[in-house]
Amino acid sequence: YAAFASAEGWRTWAVPFAEITPGFGVGAVLETSYDPAARIADATNIKNKVLAYIPDRMFAFQALQAPTGFRHADLLPHLFTVAEFEPAGPDATRVRLSMLGYGQGAAFDELYAFFAKGNAWTMGKLAERFEHGPIDWAKIKPAAKN
């Protein structure tokens, strides 16, 4: 749960830059970037608003901002994500990630395909974090800029 509900947690597995402002709670904004040199309010950052949470059980959020150039960013206000956590044995947690709010049409179909692939990758990174420990971002070569 803490891997989702804290900036520190996100930095252990998902992104090298993560901040929650003004502080964790409903309405707070989780701002992240794959760029370790990112700063708050960069146009390439991803911003997610905390919608709801139940400690150790559920964390719901909605994308407010996608990186510049993200296809169909105008449709993001329709979508939100719910992460559910349940015990699955000693030192194990089952994580269920659901993304809801998709509508009809080609644009929503493209977003669905994008997030189906991206969320599968994300969940794989989360599993790696708990199998092998936190990511050392200093050892990760940054992706080339297009």
Side-chain angles (χ1 to χ4, degrees):
Y1 174 82
F4 271 85
S6 72
E8 297 80 11
W10 281 77
R11 290 191 298 262
T12 68
W13 66 281
V15 291
F17 174 83
E19 294 293 334
I20 294 182
T21 55
F24 183 76
V26 171
V29 175
L30 170 65
E31 193 162 343
T32 65
S33 178
Y34 295 102
D35 180 354
R39 298 192 184 285
I40 290 288
D42 283 353
T44 56
N45 290 354
I46 300 164
K47 291 184 181 179
N48 288 291
K49 179 180 179 181
V50 177
L51 299 177
Y53 63 96
I54 301 170
D56 298 320
R57 293 184 42 210
M58 186 273 295
F59 181 69
F61 55 99
Q62 180 178 38
L64 298 176
Q65 174 182 304
T68 304
F70 184 85
R71 286 183 50 83
H72 309 301
D74 59 313
L75 296 178
L76 289 178
H78 297 278
L79 307 178
F80 62 98
T81 302
V82 178
E84 299 172 89
F85 310 90
E86 66 179 81
D91 299 320
T93 301
R94 179 173 292 110
V95 179
R96 179 177 295 117
L97 196 65
S98 302
M99 198 161 185
L100 309 158
Y102 290 99
Q104 299 291 320
F108 276 115
D109 292 347
E110 284 181 40
L111 276 176
Y112 184 88
F114 174 84
F115 284 116
K117 182 178 177 182
N119 288 342
W121 180 86
T122 297
M123 295 301 281
K125 297 310 279 183
L126 180 64
E128 286 178 27
R129 183 263 178 262
F130 286 98
E131 291 168 1
H132 305 292
I135 293 174
D136 181 352
W137 294 105
K139 293 181 179 179
I140 306 293
K141 182 179 177 184
K145 304 250 181 187
N146 293 343

